[in-house]
Amino acid sequence: GEFVGKLEGFRFITDKDANGAEAKALRTAAMEALKPHFNLMSDRFYNAPDTEIDFTDQGGLIWGENAVGKFLAGENPLKPRIHVFIEDNVNTEIQQKVERRLQHFVDRKIATLFEPLLALERDDKLAGLARGFAFTLVENFGLVPRATVTEIVKSLDQDARATLRKHGVRFGQYTIFMPLLLKPAPTRLRLVLWSLMKKIDEFPSAPPPGLVTVPSASMVLSGLDTMSGYRNAGDRAIRIDMLERLADMLRLQDSRSGFESNSDMLSITGMTLEQFAGLMVGLGYKAEKGSRLKAVSEDRTDTKTEINQTPLAKTVDDPNGNLEEVTTNESADDTALEMHEEFYTFSWVPKKLNTGKNVSKKDGKSKKQKSKLSLAVSAKSSRSSSKNNKSQEKQIDPDNPFAKALM
C-alpha cells in the first residue's frame, strides 16, 4: 500500500511529501480507517498500569515512547490540569477517556510523592499560627528558606512546633523543610509543578541524584536552589539536609575567636579545603588563609635528633661521614618544604544593622568645640612663636663683631 503517514500515540502525522488537496484527502481516508484502532487503543491505555506512563522534566506525559499529553497549571499548585494530545475528529468519548486516565495518573503520582505534605494540609487539629505556617509550607511544596519566615517561626510556641514536627517538619538553621520531600522523585515532580506555577518557558531539570554539592551557576533562577533541595553558597550549592548537618557541627565551634575545619566537615560536604572555604564565605563566614609546618611524628623527630647530635670531629675526620651529613641535610630541607600545609581560620561576620554615618548632636557639639579649641591653641602658639622670634631679633650680642652692621 501507499505510505500516507504514521500514528504517534493518539495523533496521526501525515506524510510530509503530501500537500494541498492530496494531503487533505489522505488524512480523511486515514482517520476513517483508524476509528476502530483508536477505540482499541483507548481501552488499552485506560487499563494500562501507572508504570507504563511517566512525565518528562518539561511537563510532558508519555505512554511508552509516545507523547500523549502535558501538564497545565491549575488553581491549586498541587492540582494541575491535563491537556491531551489527540486528534480533534476522534470520538468525544475516547478523548474524555484518555484525559481521565492521565488525570488519574497525575493525581496518584502527586498523592504518593507528596503524601507528607498533603497529610499536613488535611490535618484539622492544626489551628492558629501553626495552621497558617502549614499553609505556607504547602504553598512552597514543603521547602521554605528560614530567612523568609523568621518572624512567623519566632511566634510559634512549642506546642505548635511539636505538632508540625509530628508531620515530619524540620526546623533547620537555614531551611524549614520535610526531609522525605528531598528524595529524587518528589524533587523532579516539584520542579515541574513549581515551573508551571511560575510560568517558566523552559523547565529546569533536577540535579543528578546523590550529589551533595553542585555548581551554583546552574541555579541562578530565583528560588530554584530551594526547589531543587539545595542552597546556593558561593560557587557551589549544597544540599539542604547536608547543610543542616554541617550547621550542627559549626554550632559547636567558637565562631568569634575563629576555628579550623575538621575532617568530618570536609567529609559530609565532599569538598577540598579550598572549595570548603568558598562555601563558608558564601554562608557568611570570614576565611583567613595561613601556612604552617605539619605535625611531625615522634619517630621522625628522634631520627633527626640523632643526625644533628653526631659529633662534628667524627664527620670531619671521615670523608664518607661528611658526605652522608650533606646528603642528610639536603633531604631534610626537602622534607621541610613538603611538610608545610595550608589552613583556613573561619570566623562569623555579623551583619551590620546600621551602615549610615549618623552623629548625635552632643557628638557634633563636642567635635566643634574640640576643633575651635585646637584652632585657638594653634593661633596662640603661632603668636607666641612670633613674639619669641621678634625678641630674639632685638637682643643682639654687643661683643658680636658684626653688631654694628646688624644694628
Side-chain angles (χ1 to χ4, degrees):
E2 184 182 356
F3 178 75
V4 295
K6 61 180 180 179
L7 195 64
E8 292 183 357
F10 294 93
R11 292 182 297 181
F12 177 72
I13 310 299
T14 311
D15 182 18
K16 295 180 181 179
D17 295 334
N19 48 44
E22 181 188 0
K24 188 175 182 181
L26 287 173
R27 184 176 184 79
T28 303
M31 291 304 298
E32 189 66 27
L34 286 171
K35 279 184 179 180
H37 182 73
F38 278 125
N39 283 322
L40 292 172
M41 192 165 61
S42 64
D43 288 338
R44 189 158 59 89
F45 177 67
Y46 194 81
N47 294 316
D50 283 353
T51 52
E52 293 184 8
I53 308 171
D54 200 1
F55 64 93
T56 67
D57 292 345
Q58 295 301 314
L61 291 163
I62 55 176
W63 177 34
E65 296 180 354
N66 299 315
V68 291
K70 67 176 182 179
F71 285 83
L72 291 177
E75 294 182 2
N76 187 332
L78 291 173
K79 293 180 180 178
R81 296 181 294 112
I82 299 301
H83 174 72
V84 180
F85 297 155
I86 194 169
E87 293 295 337
D88 295 334
N89 53 358
V90 171
N91 191 326
T92 306
E93 184 180 349
I94 294 176
Q95 291 186 19
Q96 292 176 349
K97 196 173 187 179
V98 174
E99 186 175 351
R100 271 199 315 273
R101 180 65 186 91
L102 283 177
Q103 191 68 58
H104 290 162
F105 165 76
V106 171
D107 292 344
R108 278 199 290 266
K109 184 66 74 174
I110 292 174
T112 303
L113 297 180
F114 290 102
E115 191 276 330
L117 194 63
L118 297 175
L120 179 66
E121 185 182 30
R122 292 191 300 264
D123 191 354
D124 296 331
K125 295 180 181 179
L126 291 172
L129 291 173
R131 187 161 191 80
F133 188 73
F135 180 73
T136 302
L137 273 173
V138 173
E139 271 190 327
N140 291 274
F141 304 100
L143 305 170
V144 182
R146 184 157 187 155
T148 62
V149 289
T150 304
E151 296 303 321
I152 301 175
V153 174
K154 285 181 180 178
S155 60
L156 290 172
D157 58 25
Q158 292 302 318
D159 292 338
R161 295 191 185 200
T163 306
L164 291 169
R165 285 193 181 99
K166 287 179 181 178
H167 284 279
V169 177
R170 179 176 176 186
F171 291 85
Q173 181 175 332
Y174 294 95
T175 312
I176 298 168
F177 63 103
M178 306 181 84
L180 289 175
L181 301 185
L182 294 178
K183 292 182 178 180
T187 298
R188 185 166 164 258
L189 180 57
R190 178 172 56 249
L191 285 174
V192 170
L193 300 178
W194 177 73
S195 300
L196 285 171
M197 184 180 71
K198 293 292 183 180
K199 298 179 181 179
I200 300 172
D201 294 331
E202 186 176 352
F203 295 2
S205 299
L211 295 180
V212 177
T213 64
V214 294
S216 56
S218 61
M219 299 185 183
V220 293
L221 194 63
S222 177
L224 176 57
D225 56 338
T226 303
M227 289 298 107
S228 301
Y230 287 76
R231 177 190 168 91
N232 285 337
D235 294 333
R236 308 288 295 179
I238 182 170
R239 214 170 68 198
I240 287 171
D241 55 340
M242 302 306 285
L243 175 59
E244 296 303 333
R245 285 182 59 185
L246 176 62
D248 292 339
M249 294 181 183
L250 297 178
R251 208 174 288 118
L252 302 175
Q253 305 297 325
D254 186 356
S255 298
R256 289 188 176 182
S257 301
F259 63 93
E260 294 182 33
S261 60
N262 54 42
S263 58
D264 292 336
M265 295 177 188
L266 299 179
S267 177
I268 66 167
T269 57
M271 289 180 161
T272 63
L273 184 58
E274 292 285 342
Q275 291 175 334
F276 184 78
L279 176 77
M280 293 293 284
V281 172
L283 293 175
Y285 285 83
K286 180 182 178 182
E288 294 182 355
K289 191 174 183 179
S291 179
R292 65 187 174 201
L293 286 173
K294 290 182 182 179
V296 184
S297 62
E298 292 183 2
D299 295 338
R300 295 187 66 177
T301 307
D302 293 342
T303 305
K304 282 189 172 184
T305 305
E306 289 175 4
I307 293 170
N308 293 333
Q309 288 177 352
T310 305
L312 181 61
K314 186 175 181 180
T315 55
V316 170
D317 294 339
D318 187 359
N320 295 327
N322 193 19
L323 180 62
E324 287 178 7
E325 183 189 15
V326 173
T327 307
T328 305
N329 289 337
E330 287 178 356
S331 62
D333 292 340
D334 295 338
T335 306
L337 291 173
E338 291 176 1
M339 287 170 59
H340 276 84
E341 64 176 357
E342 293 181 345
F343 68 98
Y344 283 90
T345 303
F346 303 103
S347 56
W348 178 249
V349 181
K351 294 180 180 178
K352 295 181 180 179
L353 298 177
N354 184 9
T355 56
K357 296 180 180 179
N358 298 328
V359 181
S360 64
K361 292 182 179 180
K362 290 183 178 179
D363 294 337
K365 287 181 180 179
S366 62
K367 285 185 178 179
K368 287 180 180 179
Q369 290 173 357
K370 285 181 180 179
S371 61
K372 287 180 180 178
L373 183 62
S374 61
L375 288 171
V377 170
S378 61
K380 188 175 180 180
S381 61
S382 63
R383 284 198 299 269
S384 62
S385 61
S386 62
K387 285 181 181 179
N388 291 334
N389 291 334
K390 287 180 180 179
S391 62
Q392 287 176 0
E393 289 176 359
K394 288 179 180 179
Q395 293 176 359
I396 300 173
D397 187 5
D399 297 330
N400 191 340
F402 300 101
K404 292 181 180 180
L406 292 173
M407 295 173 63

